[in-house]
Amino acid sequence: MRYFKCKVELAQMIERQTETGDAAKEQLAAKSVSYVNEGKNGFVGCVTSVYHKDCTFVFAGNGDDRTMQEEIAAFWEYIGFEGGIMETNEICGEQIRRELRMGNVDLPVDLDEQFQLPDFRHLDADEHIVHTDPSVTLSDYASAHHFPELAAEAERIRAVSGTQIFLGHPVHYIVEENNKDKAVEMIDLLVDTLYHANRLQSARVIFVDEDTFAHKPLKYTLSCLYQNFTGGTLVVSVKAQGSSGEYADAADDLIEKVCGFAVRHRHEVLTVFHIPQHNTEAHRAISAYLNNELTVLTFAEAAGDFEQSAVYMRMICEKKGIADAAPFIEKMDPEQNEFYIAEIETLFNDYYTVHLKKTHFPAYLSCENTAVKETKIEGKAADTLAEMIGLTKVKQIIGEAVSYYQLQKIYQERQIHLDTPARSMVFTGNPGTAKTTVARLTAKIFKDNGLLESGKIVEVGRADLVGRFVGWTAPTVKAAFRRAKGSILFIDEAYSLVDDRDGLYGDEAINTIVQEMENHRKDTIVIFAGYPDKMEQFLNKNPGLRSRIAFHVDFPDYTPDELLEILRLMAKNHSMKLDAAAETAALAIFRNAVKQPDFGNGRFARNLLEQAQMRLARRLTEHGVAALTDAQLTTLCAEDFEMPVMCAETPERRVIGF
């Protein structure tokens, strides 16, 4: 759906608060309603305001620029008032709503529905019509910011720009960028380039993420969005990925649903996924859910060598009016072979304050930072961790770690010289005990409390660290540490790096990890995660591992009562509830399940809920659903819970750990 606001200069003046003026406005309203009711090929339009010779109307429908201009002209001819259309601008849905609400022509209140507006009321999303600086081209941006595939796509768009009509979308896109403002700038340039090459019908774009759907039904809202954005672009920003612990990750659900609609509307709506840099899990999820039904191009920044990066640093300095870039370039490590732009900008910003004091404000060189620092854990992530069910000891250790690191920071600021302490951690626990969830929260907690520059977490496994050929593994590990600089590197199932015999690629990866942990001791925290017994074998593989680990966090299995509490919370998040008999049945299942080896913990609770929901659906539909109450539709009963096959036998469970 495309929306337009049009201004008309009338041939005759319409006076306010006169019988003639009121009659003219009534006629304009009647003709607008008549046009809408006739449903002219799916187009809708109505006059919203009139004052003297100035008249405004809004129009909506699907089509290319030529089609829309023809239909807009036909609408004004249908209205039957003399006057010429002086200005036509494409606008967003919220602007249409405002015009309908604030005009002085008395229109029916249900016109929102004709313009497909009610479904997007209070939607937390960034919608706009793209208008870019014509002096900056997509090729220029790609070259300046080191996006080689984007440069290649700009050339492809230019090479086939002779198409006179919109035909569909041969490809869709993934944009890797940590900085949202830069991602918006890049995507806007891409949309503008496609639009002017007739590869898009509209320059209308909307950015959505997990928060957009926090209080909206995901599938229904996405369906409405894709129908409404025919001819335009829908950008999905994914902040996280995967599922862990007792909660299903909203990002994975969002990716799955979006991929389904992207395939269904592949030629009507351009879909762009915006993901963090080097987010292999998000890539895998998108690839899996698309199942090769769409061609997707990925735009990722290529790291520059030292000389290229020095050129970029000089460019930043030049923009800031700094003639001598040498002191800034000196902050770049010449032994580092590759730099990403974000790293260069961080180095610049870190030294720029010192530069200001030395060059312009020397009186501040001797001033110390006197801001009062409290050693308490702050931030929303800390609150989220505190609210998680169980994990009492885990919360205690994370709190101790924050306090310990805060104290080390105070020592450093007061110039009390101590050796740099180890900061890395080991998370051990059985499947489904929330290790990954807590790791993600830990990154945000450390960022909120000033212990890390970034609250992001770089998640990797064996496949992301071990190269396929000789000589590939060490550079791959070093690249992972560079991506995690200033944040946390989370190595899941770290024990998988232990090979069956010595001297293989896994050993090289472990040795390089130990070396990089030392090299990045001050700026990167590594969290190793895995099963307790297997992690012991991993830690024994290299003598340097244990000495570089400050905290060992053990994630215990959930108790039956905790699992029941998790089940209640999951049901609540799905707008469901359990009656008393259902809770008794679920608790009995949990008491049996915890006796099984590797029963799944929080994942087991999630699977149990999903099976109960399916049994509820089967039970209710057997007798028809028309007469059912809301309570019946959302209440799980004891008969919806059955003992899974894995719980049929209950051998004594062996306790493991170290």
Side-chain angles (χ1 to χ4, degrees):
M1 181 72 74
R2 302 181 68 183
Y3 298 117
F4 292 85
K5 178 180 177 180
C6 307
K7 294 185 177 180
V8 175
E9 183 177 342
L10 296 172
Q12 294 184 346
M13 184 176 297
I14 297 178
E15 297 289 351
R16 295 178 59 189
Q17 297 179 342
T18 64
E19 289 187 9
T20 304
D22 291 342
K25 286 195 288 186
E26 289 178 6
Q27 185 179 352
L28 287 168
K31 292 293 288 185
S32 296
V33 172
S34 175
Y35 182 89
V36 171
N37 290 338
E38 288 183 23
K40 298 281 187 177
N41 298 320
F43 296 97
V44 292
C46 61
V47 178
T48 57
S49 63
V50 60
Y51 180 71
H52 290 174
K53 285 191 173 185
D54 296 326
C55 177
T56 300
F57 70 88
V58 291
F59 194 81
N62 293 318
D64 57 22
D65 287 347
R66 179 177 177 180
T67 299
M68 297 307 298
Q69 293 296 335
E70 290 174 352
E71 293 295 336
I72 286 170
F75 166 78
W76 183 245
E77 184 178 347
Y78 180 91
I79 293 299
F81 276 58
E82 291 187 17
I85 299 174
M86 308 304 293
E87 186 178 327
T88 300
N89 292 306
E90 188 167 7
I91 61 175
C92 298
E94 186 56 37
Q95 292 171 285
I96 285 282
R97 191 194 304 279
R98 196 179 305 122
E99 290 294 327
L100 292 172
R101 185 171 60 246
M102 302 183 67
N104 64 1
V105 175
D106 192 12
L107 296 167
V109 295
D110 63 348
L111 275 181
D112 276 15
E113 298 179 12
Q114 305 298 327
F115 282 87
Q116 295 185 14
L117 293 174
D119 299 313
F120 307 120
R121 196 183 302 274
H122 309 306
L123 195 67
D124 182 13
D126 172 21
E127 178 196 356
H128 59 270
I129 305 298
V130 171
H131 299 288
T132 62
D133 181 354
S135 65
V136 180
T137 67
L138 188 63
S139 296
D140 293 338
Y141 183 95
S143 176
H145 293 81
H146 302 168
F147 280 82
E149 185 56 38
L150 182 64
E153 178 63 359
E155 178 59 26
R156 285 188 289 264
I157 295 170
R158 187 199 64 78
V160 295
S161 61
T163 304
Q164 297 301 311
I165 59 172
F166 172 72
L167 299 173
H169 299 297
V171 295
H172 298 257
Y173 304 103
I174 295 174
V175 171
E176 287 191 18
E177 176 57 70
N178 292 335
N179 186 306
K180 184 175 180 181
D181 291 338
K182 289 185 177 180
V184 172
E185 182 183 5
M186 186 194 313
I187 293 169
D188 278 359
L189 276 170
L190 175 63
V191 167
D192 186 69
T193 305
L194 291 168
Y195 173 66
H196 285 98
N198 293 318
R199 291 273 299 277
L200 278 168
Q201 289 185 321
S202 170
R204 184 179 173 217
V205 61
I206 188 168
F207 286 75
V208 300
D209 57 25
E210 298 102 300
D211 295 338
T212 303
F213 308 96
H215 304 291
K216 299 278 187 181
L218 176 57
K219 189 172 182 180
Y220 172 75
T221 307
L222 273 174
S223 176
C224 295
L225 277 172
Y226 267 92
Q227 291 178 33
N228 185 265
F229 269 79
T230 294
T233 302
L234 190 145
V235 182
V236 184
S237 294
V238 180
K239 300 176 184 176
Q241 72 291 325
S243 298
S244 176
E246 68 269 41
Y247 304 109
D249 195 333
D252 191 70
D253 191 31
L254 177 61
I255 291 173
E256 179 183 8
K257 298 296 190 299
V258 168
C259 286
F261 284 107
V263 170
R264 201 172 308 156
H265 298 271
R266 69 186 76 182
H267 295 308
E268 293 81 36
V269 179
L270 178 67
T271 300
V272 180
F273 291 93
H274 166 220
I275 66 175
Q277 272 185 310
H278 314 295
N279 193 321
T280 55
E281 289 298 320
H283 267 291
R284 289 169 184 162
I286 293 168
S287 177
Y289 289 128
L290 288 178
N291 196 26
N292 292 323
E293 295 188 68
L294 287 184
T295 300
V296 179
L297 302 182
T298 299
F299 303 141
E301 178 190 344
D305 60 25
F306 185 87
E307 291 302 322
Q308 292 172 319
S309 303
V311 169
Y312 188 79
M313 181 68 86
R314 291 190 188 95
M315 185 179 72
I316 299 176
C317 292
E318 185 179 335
K319 287 182 178 179
K320 282 285 188 178
I322 301 171
D324 183 12
F328 291 86
I329 295 174
E330 287 175 3
K331 298 300 176 183
M332 299 167 56
D333 183 359
E335 295 184 3
Q336 184 172 329
N337 296 325
E338 295 180 336
F339 292 84
Y340 289 97
I341 284 178
E343 293 179 90
I344 303 170
E345 292 175 343
T346 298
L347 290 171
F348 174 85
N349 290 327
D350 288 346
Y351 186 69
Y352 186 62
T353 301
V354 177
H355 167 80
L356 286 177
K357 291 178 180 179
K358 286 183 175 180
T359 308
H360 302 287
F361 307 105
Y364 291 98
L365 282 171
S366 60
C367 292
E368 294 184 5
N369 184 4
T370 58
V372 177
K373 302 175 182 63
E374 299 182 18
T375 58
K376 66 177 184 178
I377 304 178
E378 298 178 339
K380 293 175 65 176
D383 295 338
T384 301
L385 177 62
E387 292 168 1
M388 289 182 69
I389 295 164
L391 305 176
T392 303
K393 189 65 175 177
V394 172
K395 297 170 187 176
Q396 177 186 334
I397 295 176
I398 296 299
E400 291 173 355
V402 172
S403 299
Y404 176 72
Y405 296 146
Q406 285 178 328
L407 189 60
Q408 302 304 314
K409 193 174 181 183
I410 291 172
Y411 287 152
Q412 183 179 5
E413 290 172 350
R414 295 189 181 182
Q415 297 184 348
I416 300 174
H417 298 290
L418 298 172
D419 291 337
T420 303
R423 300 201 297 170
S424 294
M425 303 180 174
V426 169
F427 285 7
T428 57
N430 288 316
T433 49
K435 296 186 294 295
T436 306
T437 298
V438 172
R440 292 171 184 165
L441 290 173
T442 299
K444 294 176 182 177
I445 290 170
F446 285 1
K447 169 64 167 61
D448 292 342
N449 288 271
L451 306 178
L452 287 174
E453 294 177 8
S454 169
K456 74 175 183 178
I457 182 170
V458 176
E459 302 179 30
V460 296
R462 179 184 171 94
D464 305 300
L465 298 175
V466 175
R468 291 182 294 171
F469 303 103
V470 175
W472 282 26
T473 297
T476 302
V477 172
K478 291 178 181 179
F481 271 86
R482 283 199 301 274
R483 298 198 303 271
K485 187 176 181 180
S487 60
I488 285 179
L489 179 64
F490 180 73
I491 304 179
D492 199 12
E493 297 183 353
Y495 54 80
S496 65
L497 294 171
V498 179
D499 293 317
D500 294 336
R501 54 191 175 87
D502 294 337
L504 298 181
Y505 295 159
D507 285 354
E508 183 183 0
I510 294 172
N511 294 338
T512 309
I513 287 170
V514 172
Q515 176 186 336
E516 290 300 294
M517 288 173 71
E518 186 63 31
N519 294 341
H520 295 271
R521 193 181 186 94
K522 296 182 179 180
D523 57 46
T524 305
I525 294 175
V526 180
I527 297 179
F528 301 100
Y531 304 157
D533 55 344
K534 295 183 179 180
M535 288 301 292
E536 177 70 12
Q537 182 184 4
F538 167 73
L539 293 173
N540 289 333
K541 191 66 178 175
N542 186 298
L545 272 174
R546 286 189 191 275
S547 63
R548 288 172 173 80
I549 293 169
F551 293 93
H552 183 151
V553 186
D554 181 54
F555 288 71
D557 290 333
Y558 289 108
T559 66
D561 289 333
E562 289 172 341
L563 289 167
L564 179 60
E565 196 174 346
I566 290 170
L567 183 66
R568 287 196 195 106
L569 182 59
M570 288 179 175
K572 181 181 178 181
N573 291 339
H574 284 79
S575 301
M576 308 290 291
K577 62 182 179 180
L578 285 70
D579 64 18
E583 291 193 357
T584 300
L587 185 59
I589 292 174
F590 290 140
R591 284 173 176 162
N592 202 354
V594 297
K595 301 174 184 177
Q596 309 297 317
D598 299 331
F599 73 97
N601 284 285
R603 296 172 192 168
F604 177 84
R606 183 173 68 242
N607 293 337
L608 189 67
L609 176 63
E610 291 172 352
Q611 293 170 11
Q613 288 177 300
M614 288 188 286
R615 293 192 186 96
L616 170 68
R618 185 171 63 245
R619 174 168 59 82
L620 294 180
T621 54
E622 284 177 352
H623 306 290
V625 296
L628 294 174
T629 64
D630 289 350
Q632 289 173 310
L633 290 169
T634 58
T635 302
L636 296 165
C637 303
E639 59 190 293
D640 300 321
F641 290 88
E642 292 183 6
M643 195 78 73
V645 176
M646 60 84 68
C647 296
E649 299 179 0
T650 56
E652 190 66 27
R653 189 176 180 195
R654 180 174 61 89
V655 178
I656 56 179
F658 69 97

